[in-house]
């Protein structure tokens, strides 16, 4: 049974980078007919907010990434305390008292000597009396996990074989001085107890994975399959981290992007398969293969989402759009015709209402100075309203005969006069949609 999880900390809105993690885990679970858990990593009571929990759920629902159950780390603190006791009993947990300033100083010294800034385990040398004194002086210490200094190796679903020398990694702090359990421990306990079989996350977690594999082993467990996807960069390869705040899923949604445009791009970007527009989640699941993704940073251009959104909309049958079209005010009787005429000419759903307003109210004509007389002459020849499918060719034939204009110099001024735009659907189809006479 495949079990995956998406484990955001509810300390902010989720962005396009988080979405990648959520989507891969969701796709793996759905493809295997397994379970997808939404796990809220909310052990930090100061930074975790209910409003972000709601926002994360709303954003995932918008995309259709449904979960089978929700877990909250804040409700599982007793489980983590038990695991901490087990690590203590196994001699793999030790209390350390260095202040952040002292640790910083140690790191600087090591770097100056050309050594990696790995915690020197000084606390392992403290005897009980010294610990008592430090506790009295500084309060309770942090709890560090004592890594076995050997190579930690795993077969990564994306990176291939990974081998990390534990001696190059600091013994991770799993519990803070104030008793707060940190993600590294909580995640290990959850992944084990919840039977998580596959963990896909960003490559910024590779070192965590190494330490978590050892912690799991120290608790007597194996580990899930890990896969680390590359991080997104901007279109030029620049770090995206600073811009991620502007790439929240809520902003993308407010900008009118279609879920299938976002999902189609993110399910393929950075893989060796081309981006293909999918019209349903089932198609997306069908075409997904995590092993096709590469380790190289993945360039992401938010500008690609608009044209994809336009393509998603152009492909939507009327039945799928009826609600939006009705909400824009289009009467049901002409709505199917309306949609077949404008569907190729909307970038987002927000463009639907302006088209309707044009047909309902008539245009704000755009007439160049040199075309003024021509347009007046042409409009005088326009057959009476309502217009039919033959009106455009009948009319432009007459205008051509009268004025001698042809081709672009005939059609473009008329399009601009009737729609106020240089581009749009076939005029022969546009004309019958006008609800008002145009002269
Ligand atoms: N809460 C962690 C994060 O958002 C989860 C990482 C993981 O998937 O284990 O980075």
């Amino acid at each position: 049974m495949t079990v995956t999880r998406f484990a955001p900390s509810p300390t902010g809105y989720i962005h396009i980078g988080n979405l990648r993690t959520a989507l891969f885990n969701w796709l793996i679970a759905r493809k295997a007919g397994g379970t997808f858990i939404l796990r809220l990593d909310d052990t930090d009571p100061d930074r975790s907010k209910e409003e972000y929990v709601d926002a994360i759920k709303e954003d995932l629902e918008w995309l259709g990434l449904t979960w089978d159950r929700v877990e909250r780390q804040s409700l599982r603190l007793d489980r983590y305390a038990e695991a901490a006791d087990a690590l203590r009993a196994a001699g793999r947990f030790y209390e350390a008292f260095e202040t952040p300033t002292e640790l910083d100083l140690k790191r600087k010294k090591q770097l100056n000597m050309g050594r990696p800034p790995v915690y020197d385990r000084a606390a392992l040398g403290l005897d009980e009396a010294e610990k008592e004194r430090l506790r009295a002086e500084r309060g309770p210490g942090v709890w560090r996990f004592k890594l076995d200094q050997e190579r930690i190796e795993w077969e990564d679903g994306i990176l291939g074989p990974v081998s990390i020398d534990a001696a190059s990694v600091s013994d991770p702090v799993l519990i803070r001085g104030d008793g707060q359990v940190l993600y590294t421990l909580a995640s290990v306990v959850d992944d084990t107890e919840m039977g998580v079989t596959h963990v896909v996350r960003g490559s910024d977690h590779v070192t965590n994975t190494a330490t978590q594999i050892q912690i799991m082993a120290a608790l007597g467990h194996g580990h899930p399959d890990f896969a680390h996807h590359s991080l997104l960069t901007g279109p030029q390869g620049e770090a995206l981290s600073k811009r991620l705040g502007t790439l929240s899923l809520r902003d993308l949604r407010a900008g009118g992007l279609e879920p299938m445009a976002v999902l189609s791009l993110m399910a393929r970007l950075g893989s060796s398969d081309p981006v293909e527009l999918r019209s349903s989640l089932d198609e997306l699941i069908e075409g997904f293969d995590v092993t096709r993704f590469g380790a190289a940073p993945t360039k992401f251009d938010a500008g690609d989402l608009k044209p994809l959104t336009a393509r998603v909309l152009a492909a939507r049958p009327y039945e799928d759009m009826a609600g939006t079209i009705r909400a824009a005010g289009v009467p049901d009787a002409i709505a199917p015709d309306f949609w077949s005429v404008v569907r190729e000419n909307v970038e987002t759903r927000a463009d639907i209402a302006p088209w309707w307003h044009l047909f309902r109210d008539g245009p704000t004509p755009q007439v160049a100075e040199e075309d003024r007389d021509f347009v007046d002459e042409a409009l005088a020849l326009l057959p009476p309203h309502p217009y039919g499918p033959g009106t455009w060719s009948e009319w432009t034939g007459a205008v051509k005969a009268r004025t001698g204009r042809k081709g672009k110099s005939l059609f473009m001024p008329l399009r601009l006069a009737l729609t106020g735009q240089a581009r749009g659907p076939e005029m022969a189809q546009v004309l019958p949609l006008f609800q008002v006479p145009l002269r």
Side-chain angles (χ1 to χ4, degrees), residues 213-255:
I213 285 175
Q214 274 209 7
I215 300 168
M216 285 177 177
L219 291 170
H221 305 292
H223 62 80
D225 286 348
F226 288 103
H228 295 84
H229 62 69
S230 64
L231 300 184
L232 297 179
T233 71
Q236 257 44 264
E238 71 277 21
L240 208 54
S241 45
K242 287 200 190 68
R243 290 197 43 228
L244 283 173
T246 65
L247 290 169
S248 72
L249 295 188
R250 5 210 70 207
D251 292 340
L252 301 183
R253 173 156 42 128

Side-chain angles (χ1 to χ4, degrees), residues 70-91:
V70 179
E71 296 282 356
R72 298 186 71 131
Q73 291 192 328
S74 56
L75 301 177
R76 295 175 44 79
L77 299 179
D78 52 338
R79 315 296 303 149
Y80 311 143
E82 263 175 43
D85 286 342
L87 292 176
R88 257 176 226 116

Side-chain angles (χ1 to χ4, degrees), residues 5 7 9 41 183 187 201 205:
R5 82 307 193 273
S9 301
D41 286 4
Y183 148 80
S187 188
R201 53 191 177 193
H205 281 290

Side-chain angles (χ1 to χ4, degrees), residues 248-289:
S248 72
L249 295 188
R250 5 210 70 207
D251 292 340
L252 301 183
R253 173 156 42 128
L257 298 175
E258 290 291 314
M260 282 318 298
V262 178
L263 295 173
S264 297
L265 182 67
M266 298 319 288
R268 279 292 172 82
L269 196 69
S271 85
S272 42
D273 296 318
V275 173
E276 283 172 281
L277 201 57
R278 306 297 191 171
S279 59
S280 70
L281 293 169
D282 285 340
E283 279 181 33
L284 205 70
I285 295 166
E286 182 68 27
F288 181 74
D289 181 356

Side-chain angles (χ1 to χ4, degrees), residues 177-196:
D178 64 3
Q180 190 182 312
V181 175
L182 294 182
Y183 148 80
T184 312
L185 175 61
S187 188
V188 157
V189 174
D190 292 346
D191 286 339
T192 306
E193 293 190 2
M194 294 172 195
V196 170

